[in-house]
Amino acid sequence: MGTRGSAVTVLSILLFSLAFPVSADGVFRIGLKKRALDQNSRLAARLAVREEEAAALAARKYGYFEPGPVGPGEEGNVVALKNYMNAQYFAEIGLGSPPQNFTVIFDTGSSNLWVPSSKCYFSVACYFHSKYKSSLSSTYQKNGRSANIHYGTGSVSGFFSQDYVTVGELTIKNQVFIEATREPSITFMVAKFDGILGLGFKEISVGKVVPVWDNMVNQSLVKESVFSFWFNRNTEDGEGGEIMFGGMDPKHYRGEHTYVPVTQKGYWQFDMGDVLIGGQTTGFCAEGCQAIADSGTSLIAGPTTIIAEVNQKIGAAGIVSQQCKAVVSQYGEKIMEMLMEKEEPAKICSRIGLCAFDGTRGVSMGIKSMVNGKRDRSTGGLGDGMCSYCEMAVVWMQSQLVQNQTLEQVLNYISELCERLPSPMGESAVDCNSLSSMPTVSFTIGGKIFDLKPEQYILKVGDGSSAQCISGFTALDVPQGPLWILGDVFMGAYHTVFDYGQQRVGFAEAAQI
């Protein structure tokens, strides 16, 4: 995997916190600290990027998992987050009575709580993290059912238990969670978190367990059935951000939130419109795409077709695909001819014999969305070979035809896009000195344009001449798509509200204070 894979570990989302006294207005605040990225951490990260481990972490990173067998005005509870390289946010919770502390990811892309168990004897990763000891808790109740969550080629397995969970100043009683007895070794060994606290819907909860957030609401621990995220993207500031349960803090955003309804309960999924690069439409989502707001993802993940265009515009170096260029060389003129003759775009690749389908299949044929069923691990985003490249070429050429480009200009441009195809498992590097010339990338949500400037979508690692800059965009293709995962790159720019009561997600410009 080389250095590309290092970003998979380095850019995974983590969360952490310290408690402060209750304020007079009923807000419980927990302090935040921030740490700079160091070379030792990058070296440790590289140890985790063997092929199978990178696949496992990438699956969690994008919020996809597959259940295994199962035998308070400003009022609210505030949990502060620690920031690691603007890419890792993690916080502390307590389990049991008295509380045993664990650092966890607050992840809107999954729905279960799990931490390492004291009964985890044979996974090396468990020896590097805090472990839950049921014998030390007076409120522990045995459950014992087995549980298994798959992450790519690896999995976290263990058994269900029940105990009190402390989040900030809130105590959730009788929460069912997973004691993990097996973890993918290298991936979780170098991770800076002990476990994951899922904030997704019960529909994707392993074992149909009631999630922690649902129990906060059911036990009347929050004034409003709303929680919100604010990420502090100022790398010079020690504060990492906040997650507020039961409301939102007006000083963390500017203006009004734009709300969109949840389209499918599972993830926090909603309708999204066109994606623009430098103010120009890509056309790919003009008729609508699905998007997920995922605090458990560092980057913005989207269809390979569009990510390649973004990478081309910002000068990101990705994977050089000879197969893609071969499709353009051999079939480019034919595809252009069929488009100009008004041939139905969805059927072009099957008509020229590169796809064995009747045109009902779209461009994106990667993993299945968990909101529609179990994940299909039989195919990947670029695993369909010539067919996938042909379908991408059709979309790219449609965009260029609208701009009245000549055949030669179109083919040269498409060939260049082939060279910018990103790695679905890693990073795309950019020149740190070129940020001023990079375009704004915009997303249409609820009829409003949400802009991301280069300094918001480029992650900088290190300082001075040794600094490296990484694109905040990576590829992910799903059959029910096009689907976008708006992770912390987006949520850092836009304060995000998860309105459980009204089943909607809201975005407003984040205030950096």
Side-chain angles (χ1 to χ4, degrees):
M1 296 286 294
T3 57
R4 290 196 306 270
S6 65
V8 176
T9 298
V10 175
L11 299 178
S12 294
I13 304 305
L14 314 175
L15 308 142
F16 194 71
S17 66
L18 297 171
F20 279 85
V22 180
S23 65
D25 60 2
V27 177
F28 308 107
R29 297 189 180 277
I30 300 175
L32 296 176
K33 299 295 181 182
K34 183 179 296 187
R35 295 166 52 185
L37 183 70
D38 55 74
Q39 292 303 315
N40 289 334
S41 294
R42 285 179 61 80
L43 178 60
R46 287 191 178 100
L47 296 176
V49 297
R50 299 173 185 173
E51 194 74 33
E52 68 276 12
E53 301 295 351
L57 189 54
R60 201 231 69 80
K61 172 180 170 183
Y62 296 127
Y64 288 96
F65 66 89
E66 178 181 336
V70 174
E74 182 184 293
E75 186 172 356
N77 186 71
V78 180
V79 177
L81 310 177
K82 282 193 175 180
N83 182 346
Y84 188 76
M85 203 195 84
N86 273 353
Q88 300 178 356
Y89 297 88
F90 44 100
E92 190 172 89
I93 65 169
L95 259 176
S97 303
Q100 301 172 41
N101 295 331
F102 298 89
T103 57
V104 297
I105 296 171
F106 283 93
D107 179 21
T108 58
S110 64
S111 298
N112 289 87
L113 167 62
W114 67 263
V115 296
S117 172
S118 61
K119 298 178 175 61
C120 181
Y121 305 119
F122 303 109
S123 290
V124 175
C126 288
Y127 291 92
F128 289 83
H129 296 282
S130 300
K131 292 181 284 187
Y132 171 78
K133 299 178 178 64
S134 60
S135 61
L136 300 181
S137 175
S138 62
T139 49
Y140 163 76
Q141 294 184 47
K142 183 178 180 180
N143 181 300
R145 290 186 300 148
S146 62
N148 193 9
I149 304 178
H150 293 282
Y151 297 96
T153 58
S155 65
V156 170
S157 59
F159 57 91
F160 288 108
S161 289
Q162 182 174 302
D163 210 332
Y164 285 17
V165 176
T166 304
V167 180
E169 293 294 327
L170 299 179
T171 299
I172 301 94
K173 298 179 180 179
N174 304 319
Q175 177 65 48
V176 177
F177 65 98
I178 297 172
E179 288 193 50
T181 56
R182 291 186 63 87
E183 302 177 10
S185 57
I186 300 297
T187 299
F188 285 96
M189 184 174 70
V190 300
K192 296 186 178 297
F193 60 90
D194 300 315
I196 294 173
L197 192 157
L199 293 170
F201 290 92
K202 183 179 179 180
E203 280 74 5
I204 58 171
S205 174
V206 172
K208 304 299 182 183
V209 168
V210 178
V212 172
W213 165 247
D214 291 51
N215 275 329
M216 285 187 189
V217 175
N218 296 341
Q219 296 176 23
S220 301
L221 298 178
V222 290
K223 182 178 180 180
E224 298 179 63
S225 54
V226 170
F227 63 91
S228 57
F229 275 87
W230 171 68
F231 293 141
N232 184 2
R233 305 294 278 184
N234 182 358
T235 56
E236 303 301 320
D237 192 349
E239 187 177 12
E242 287 182 352
I243 174 173
M244 176 178 281
F245 294 102
M248 63 189 86
D249 190 337
K251 75 174 182 287
H252 287 154
Y253 60 89
R254 298 187 180 95
E256 299 295 323
H257 286 81
T258 297
Y259 287 94
V260 285
V262 172
T263 54
Q264 294 191 71
K265 290 174 64 177
Y267 303 109
W268 289 89
Q269 184 171 337
F270 53 90
D271 288 326
M272 189 182 81
D274 201 6
V275 179
L276 301 92
I277 304 175
Q280 294 188 342
T281 177
T282 60
F284 194 67
C285 290
E287 296 183 3
C289 290
Q290 289 290 293
I292 293 171
D294 184 6
S295 63
T297 295
S298 301
L299 307 181
I300 293 175
T304 301
T305 308
I306 303 303
I307 298 301
E309 285 198 58
V310 172
N311 280 350
Q312 190 273 336
K313 291 294 194 303
I314 68 177
I319 298 174
V320 178
S321 173
Q322 296 302 320
Q323 197 172 27
C324 175
K325 297 179 75 172
V327 169
V328 176
S329 175
Q330 296 177 39
Y331 301 99
E333 291 189 27
K334 180 63 175 177
I335 293 173
M336 281 286 289
E337 178 184 326
M338 296 175 75
L339 284 172
M340 295 179 71
E341 292 177 353
K342 307 299 182 183
E343 183 79 35
E344 187 176 345
K347 296 184 178 181
I348 288 178
C349 294
S350 59
R351 293 282 172 84
I352 63 178
L354 291 181
C355 293
F357 301 91
D358 61 1
T360 59
R361 195 192 83 162
V363 173
S364 302
M365 280 297 292
I367 59 177
K368 289 183 178 179
S369 173
M370 270 300 302
V371 295
N372 290 327
K374 290 189 176 182
R375 179 182 169 195
D376 180 2
R377 290 188 272 177
S378 63
T379 181
L382 296 180
D384 299 315
M386 302 289 274
C387 176
S388 290
Y389 294 125
C390 176
E391 291 182 317
M392 284 188 284
V394 170
V395 174
W396 290 334
M397 289 182 184
Q398 282 181 278
S399 175
Q400 290 300 295
L401 278 176
V402 175
Q403 301 179 38
N404 296 318
Q405 300 290 310
T406 66
L407 175 62
E408 183 180 2
Q409 288 174 322
V410 172
L411 294 180
N412 287 339
Y413 176 74
I414 303 306
S415 183
E416 183 177 349
L417 288 183
C418 286
E419 296 184 1
R420 302 294 183 177
L421 286 174
S423 168
M425 303 286 288
E427 66 200 40
S428 294
V430 299
D431 183 357
C432 292
N433 296 319
S434 301
L435 266 66
S436 60
S437 63
M438 293 181 188
T440 297
V441 179
S442 308
F443 298 85
T444 308
I445 301 173
K448 181 178 179 179
I449 302 297
F450 290 81
D451 294 329
L452 287 179
K453 299 176 182 178
E455 57 268 25
Q456 293 174 313
Y457 64 71
I458 297 297
L459 284 76
K460 189 174 183 180
V461 181
D463 297 304
S465 59
S466 62
Q468 298 179 29
C469 288
I470 301 169
S471 169
F473 299 94
T474 191
L476 177 70
D477 296 311
V478 300
Q480 289 84 1
L483 177 71
W484 288 82
I485 310 295
L486 303 184
D488 292 350
V489 167
F490 187 86
M491 291 176 63
Y494 294 98
H495 180 268
T496 307
V497 176
F498 298 85
D499 190 335
Y500 183 80
Q502 298 190 52
Q503 302 285 289
R504 62 181 184 169
V505 185
F507 302 98
E509 181 184 356
Q512 296 302 327
I513 58 177

